[in-house]
Amino acid sequence: MSFSRVWSLPLRRGPMSNAVPSALSSARHTPLSGRTFSTSVQRDATWGFIGLGQMGYNMAKNLRAKIPETDILIIRDVNEETMAKFVKEASETARSSGTGVGTSEVLVAQSARDLVEKSTVIITSLPGPQHVKDVFHSFLRQGKLPALDQERLFIDTSTIDPASSKEIANAIHATDQGRFVDAPVSGGVVGARAGTLSFMFGASSRNGQLLDRVRAVLLLMGKKAWHMGAPGAGVAGKLANNYILAINNIATAEAMNLGIRWGLDPKALAELVNSSTGRCWPMEINNPVPGVVETAPASRGYEGGFGVSLMNKDLRLAITAAEESQTPLALGKIARVVYNSVEKEHKGKDFSVVYKWLQDRPQ
Ligand code: NAD
């Protein structure tokens, strides 16, 4: 097993059943809030988190803050700088709070396999289906995972398509290497930071213990965890939600643009709509016009938030899944033309940048 030593505090030799190898990078981190765990969570001593992006970074921080100090969190991202930043922040928090040396550790893994071999709960937060498949296949093709005291639980919080999610679930279940649960998330970066996310998950309802265990883990990073049905049901629910979001976002940008050209005050228009039947998340929380909602990405140059490429990816996945189930969509392909063009012109920006894109169109 190869772990890099990014941080060099002494390693904890605690009551944990999965002994940690001596060549690990580590940091101490302190709990930010009181601990309320179900028994099922307390038994998970080593946690793995793969994908520390806009969502994952904040989710992993909340996880580290809420799991017992004596538990270990192992992180993995292809971006070395991100991992180093996470470890540095964790150690700074630990230092300032005076947590005991060797507790609340964060370790950095050099590969997904290294992380998965040690962890009883593995959470993934990756951009799209191919990234998730690549990560799972990268460790599955290296042979059967060593058994741990407790069955491994894989929770994928990425937004991917039901077919890919079921394929990965089958690869894990058929080889008896743990349980795989699709649990995509809603609530954005703000919710990830605040620990107020909503999760929707797919897992067999015949396994009550599994459902309890999944809920307990998800509630360490969010406020709600909906069991939507069998494996794949979580991502199906997420794609249905994001299909609405994709279209509401365009409609909101168009309506704001229209109202402003008619001479309406943007804040007054938003207030009216938010008290009327046009009310929706893009209008109320993520308003695309700079200055209407101070906390929205539009008010800071469309930085942060939900990237336009991710929105376009979710729309593509929803359209493909609709085609596979022979379900008609009247607006999907039109919206896709819009997002393709917006992505080309404003890559990396929040998806509300559709408003700016509209303004730049010739009339
Ligand atoms: P992101 O692109 O910011 O983060 C993805 C992270 O995965 C990056 O840090 C990247 O380096 C890492 N990564 C990529 N390939 C990897 C690999 N092979 N091994 C390890 N790490 C790898 O994306 P995000 O905004 O954090 O979104 C993550 C998922 O959550 C996506 O599926 C997205 O659709 C979904 N989601 C995002 C939001 C949002 O507001 N950003 C909201 C709800 C759901």
Side-chain angles (χ1 to χ4, degrees):
M1 175 168 302
S2 59
F3 288 84
S4 70
R5 183 180 286 277
V6 176
W7 189 255
S8 59
L9 285 170
L11 289 166
R12 143 188 171 288
R13 292 274 174 265
M16 201 179 61
S17 56
N18 312 314
V20 177
S22 56
L24 295 169
S25 58
S26 69
R28 292 173 300 137
H29 193 81
T30 190
L32 299 175
S33 60
R35 294 202 243 144
T36 45
F37 305 107
S38 77
T39 333
S40 51
V41 170
Q42 266 176 318
R43 288 166 57 210
D44 299 312
T46 305
W47 305 70
F49 206 110
I50 306 178
L52 302 167
Q54 304 248 38
M55 298 296 286
Y57 195 95
N58 295 301
M59 288 157 67
K61 269 183 91 169
N62 277 320
L63 186 68
R64 178 60 276 181
K66 297 210 182 135
I67 57 177
E69 286 172 24
T70 49
D71 283 7
I72 287 180
L73 172 65
I74 310 179
I75 55 167
R76 169 79 201 140
D77 195 288
V78 283
N79 187 333
E80 296 280 341
E81 278 175 28
T82 303
M83 290 194 289
K85 182 173 169 233
F86 192 99
V87 170
K88 186 164 174 279
E89 277 185 21
S91 66
E92 281 166 3
T93 312
R95 260 200 225 115
S96 63
S97 70
T99 312
V101 171
T103 61
S104 297
E105 284 175 315
V106 176
L107 310 174
V108 169
Q110 286 304 303
S111 70
R113 176 80 189 194
D114 289 344
L115 179 147
V116 169
E117 279 190 1
K118 279 284 147 201
S119 309
T120 41
V121 178
I122 299 103
I123 298 162
T124 38
S125 174
L126 295 159
Q130 201 51 52
H131 304 85
V132 181
K133 283 190 212 172
D134 286 350
V135 164
F136 276 80
H137 291 312
S138 77
F139 64 78
L140 286 175
R141 68 169 164 258
Q142 290 182 52
K144 193 153 181 170
L145 292 163
L148 298 172
D149 285 353
Q150 198 180 4
E151 185 178 46
R152 277 188 187 80
L153 172 60
F154 296 91
I155 300 184
D156 182 33
T157 66
S158 323
T159 306
I160 65 172
D161 58 298
S164 299
S165 191
K166 283 183 207 160
E167 181 193 313
I168 300 163
N170 288 340
I172 297 283
H173 300 161
T175 51
D176 206 15
Q177 299 194 74
R179 304 308 306 170
F180 175 93
V181 171
D182 53 301
V185 56
S186 178
V189 180
V190 173
R193 219 173 273 140
T196 56
L197 294 169
S198 296
F199 293 92
M200 47 220 91
F201 68 97
S204 168
S205 52
R206 288 194 299 272
N207 190 340
Q209 268 188 335
L210 173 68
L211 300 188
D212 287 348
R213 191 177 172 203
V214 171
R215 272 193 202 100
V217 173
L218 295 177
L219 292 178
L220 295 171
M221 300 174 290
K223 287 271 182 251
K224 286 184 197 150
W226 272 290
H227 179 224
M228 297 294 294
V235 284
K238 174 68 183 172
L239 290 186
N241 178 76
N242 277 24
Y243 182 75
I244 298 172
L245 180 64
I247 286 163
N248 271 350
N249 182 55
I250 298 175
T252 300
E254 287 181 322
M256 289 301 295
N257 193 35
L258 197 59
I260 290 167
R261 287 192 183 209
W262 286 338
L264 298 179
D265 173 72
K267 277 193 181 178
L269 175 58
E271 211 170 311
L272 163 81
V273 174
N274 290 332
S275 311
S276 310
T277 46
R279 181 179 175 190
C280 57
W281 190 84
M283 183 63 85
E284 197 175 12
I285 310 290
N286 211 58
N287 196 287
V289 180
V292 170
V293 175
E294 288 308 326
T295 49
S299 298
R300 46 172 198 273
Y302 299 95
E303 293 298 335
F306 185 44
V308 64
S309 302
L310 290 178
M311 181 74 271
N312 201 13
K313 178 251 322 181
D314 291 356
L315 182 59
R316 173 175 58 80
L317 296 178
I319 292 171
T320 307
E323 283 167 358
E324 283 166 5
S325 59
Q326 280 114 48
T327 310
L329 294 175
L331 295 178
K333 287 194 174 147
I334 299 169
R336 185 101 167 98
V337 171
V338 172
Y339 283 109
N340 280 341
S341 176
V342 179
E343 187 181 359
K344 209 180 276 174
E345 288 180 33
H346 298 283
K347 205 171 174 68
K349 299 292 186 186
D350 179 77
F351 77 133
S352 61
V353 78
V354 164
Y355 173 73
K356 193 165 168 15
W357 172 88
L358 263 181
Q359 282 187 309
D360 297 340
R361 295 301 94 195
Q363 296 309 303

